[in-house]
Amino acid sequence: MNPYISNWIKIIWNCSFDNTYKMAWAKALVEIAISNNKQAKVVIPFDDIAEKFLKYYWNQTIYFDLTQGANLKKPPEILTYTKDLIFEYQQVTGTMQPIRFEKVDFNKLKLNNSYIKTIRKIGNTLKNDVCWRFLNLDKKAYPLYELNKSNRIVTLHQSQVESIKAYYESLLPIINYRWTQMLESFNFAPRISKKVRAIDEDNVRRKSLTKFRKYLDTTNDKEKRVCFYCGEQMQNDEISIDHVIPWSFIFADDLWNLVYCHKSENSKKSNRLPVEADIQKLENRNLKLVESMRKADKTNSKHYDQLQLAIEKDYVRQFWISFKG
Ligand SMILES: [Zn+2]
C-alpha cells in the first residue's frame, strides 16, 4: 500500500468518537482533491471545505435529524450553525418539507447573508478545532497536507493529489463506514447506515402514500374521513396521510404507522416524536384496521401481513420507546 494512503487510513481508523468533524473533514478533502482536473498541487480554502460540511450536515439533519456528537447536552457547534440556517430556511419558505442542500437557492430566498455568515462560522471552527487536530494521532503529527492556518488554506501537493485520486475508491467507503459507526453510537434511530447511504447517493425519495388509502378507508370512511389527531371530520382538501412516528425515524412507509389527518396538523408536527396518548390511539386504530381489512376482504397484500406482524410484535410501542432513548 502507498504509505501516504496508509497514514490517511490510520488517522481515519483511530480517531476518537467525540464527534464526526474529522470524518467530514476527510471526506471534504478527498472529494475536493478528486474533483480537480489539473496535474498540479491543489490549494483548498477553508470556505470550500466549510461548504462541504454544511452540505453533509444539512442533508443528514433535514431528513433524519442525526446527532453528530457524543455529548448530547452540547452538540458540535457546526451542527448548531447548520440547524440555525435550516430554521431560517423553514421560516422564509414556510415549509417543513425537507430539501437537499444542493437544491436550495440561498440567493433567491434572500438568505445569502445568512449563508455567508454560516460558512464563515464553520470556517472558524475548522481553524480552531479541526484542521490541525486531524493530523495528530498519539502525539505524532502526520503530514497529510500542508496547513496555513492564518490564511485558512490547506495545500495538497501533486504527489498527494495523485495518491488520493488513485485510492479514493477505498478511502471514501472507509470514511463513510467510520462516520456511520459514530452515528450509530450517538443515535437511537434505526437504519442509520441505510440512511447515510441514501443521502450519499442522493437516493432519499419519499414515495406517494396514495396506495395506502384503500386500506385506511376500510376503517375511516371515505365519505366522512376523520382526523386522527383532533377527531374532527375533514374536508376533502384538508386531508393528508401522516406518519405518526415521523418518517425521519422509521425511514419507511408502513401501514401500521400511517393515518389520515388535517394537512395543517401534519406540517406543524414536523419531526417530533408523538406523545404517549397518540401511541395508545395508534395501537387501538391498528386493531380496528386489521379487523376492517379482514371484513373488506383486503387481506391478500403484504400491507395486511405487515400490519398483523406489527400488532403481534408490538412495533408501535417498541419503536416509540427505542426512539425516546
Ligand atoms: Zn385534525
Side-chain angles (χ1 to χ4, degrees):
M1 174 64 99
N2 171 319
Y4 174 70
I5 298 296
S6 308
N7 282 338
W8 266 91
I9 292 173
K10 204 166 173 182
I11 297 268
I12 294 162
W13 209 253
N14 290 292
C15 71
S16 61
F17 275 33
D18 299 333
N19 59 50
T20 57
Y21 285 170
K22 285 183 183 169
M23 295 305 103
W25 175 264
K27 189 169 174 163
L29 290 185
V30 172
E31 281 188 1
I32 293 168
I34 62 175
S35 67
N36 181 279
N37 293 322
K38 281 177 295 194
Q39 292 288 1
K41 66 177 183 180
V42 178
V43 178
I44 311 170
F46 279 18
D47 278 3
D48 291 2
I49 304 170
E51 196 182 309
K52 295 274 188 193
F53 265 74
L54 185 56
K55 179 182 87 171
Y56 306 145
Y57 285 166
W58 176 289
N59 289 337
Q60 290 193 2
T61 301
I62 204 162
Y63 285 101
F64 302 118
D65 201 13
L66 295 178
T67 300
Q68 303 284 348
N71 186 344
L72 297 178
K73 289 198 191 86
K74 194 173 170 291
E77 53 191 21
I78 295 181
L79 185 66
T80 306
Y81 305 147
T82 307
K83 283 189 172 180
D84 291 345
L85 191 63
I86 289 175
F87 181 73
E88 278 193 63
Y89 166 82
Q90 288 167 339
Q91 294 296 304
V92 167
T93 59
T95 173
M96 303 297 281
Q97 194 67 30
I99 180 173
R100 284 187 76 84
F101 173 78
E102 300 90 313
K103 294 197 175 135
V104 182
D105 189 339
F106 290 97
N107 243 327
K108 204 169 154 194
L109 295 168
K110 299 202 168 71
L111 284 173
N112 214 23
N113 272 340
S114 308
Y115 174 80
I116 290 166
K117 266 188 219 152
T118 307
I119 292 291
R120 175 99 326 220
K121 282 195 282 187
I122 295 175
N124 292 340
T125 308
L126 297 182
K127 182 181 172 186
N128 298 329
D129 281 344
V130 191
C131 64
W132 55 276
R133 279 214 173 104
F134 185 79
L135 298 174
N136 292 310
L137 180 68
D138 298 334
K139 293 181 182 149
K140 200 181 148 197
Y142 290 78
L144 298 184
Y145 44 77
E146 191 187 314
L147 184 60
N148 186 333
K149 260 174 80 174
S150 44
N151 289 333
R152 295 173 171 243
I153 49 175
V154 168
T155 304
L156 289 165
H157 293 282
Q158 188 176 339
S159 66
Q160 298 174 331
V161 176
E162 280 165 8
S163 298
I164 292 174
K165 282 183 176 172
Y167 289 96
Y168 76 91
E169 281 171 318
S170 311
L171 268 183
L172 284 177
I174 294 172
I175 296 167
N176 283 339
Y177 178 65
R178 279 313 256 180
W179 194 334
T180 305
Q181 283 189 317
M182 289 180 186
L183 291 174
E184 283 182 345
S185 81
F186 307 150
N187 288 272
F188 298 106
R191 299 173 185 163
I192 299 272
S193 67
K194 195 177 168 193
K195 291 170 180 173
V196 171
R197 211 178 56 229
I199 292 168
D200 215 45
E201 293 168 359
D202 192 2
N203 217 353
V204 197
R205 212 160 290 134
R206 300 187 63 163
K207 297 195 193 106
S208 160
L209 300 174
T210 340
K211 62 170 181 266
F212 292 100
R213 287 189 169 224
K214 65 177 177 212
Y215 306 118
L216 296 175
D217 283 344
T218 61
T219 179
N220 198 347
D221 198 317
K222 218 174 180 169
E223 302 310 309
K224 41 178 186 1
R225 287 197 185 108
V226 169
C227 169
F228 176 80
Y229 297 104
C230 68
E232 275 168 38
Q233 193 176 326
M234 296 177 287
Q235 302 299 320
N236 264 333
D237 58 350
E238 299 173 329
I239 296 170
S240 68
I241 296 180
D242 183 44
H243 300 79
V244 178
I245 298 174
W247 182 84
S248 61
F249 285 84
I250 300 261
F251 196 41
D253 305 319
D254 300 305
L255 182 57
W256 56 264
N257 189 38
L258 295 172
V259 298
Y260 281 127
C261 80
H262 280 110
K263 263 183 200 155
S264 54
E265 274 157 276
N266 195 342
S267 55
K268 249 189 300 178
K269 262 181 72 223
S270 125
N271 284 331
R272 280 193 301 276
L273 270 179
V275 295
E276 188 170 8
D278 287 336
I279 290 301
Q280 179 76 55
K281 224 198 273 184
L282 182 60
E283 289 173 325
N284 294 336
R285 193 293 306 259
N286 283 341
L287 291 173
K288 271 187 219 148
L289 182 56
V290 85
E291 193 56 45
S292 64
M293 280 174 76
R294 236 176 262 151
K295 276 187 196 146
D297 209 13
K298 290 199 189 307
T299 57
N300 189 13
S301 95
K302 70 170 186 194
H303 300 297
Y304 176 82
D305 297 340
Q306 282 169 352
L307 175 62
Q308 215 172 20
L309 191 68
I311 294 170
E312 269 167 38
K313 304 260 183 201
D314 208 8
Y315 278 174
V316 172
R317 197 157 291 262
Q318 296 298 340
F319 270 104
W320 183 66
I321 288 169
S322 71
F323 296 139
K324 276 200 314 163

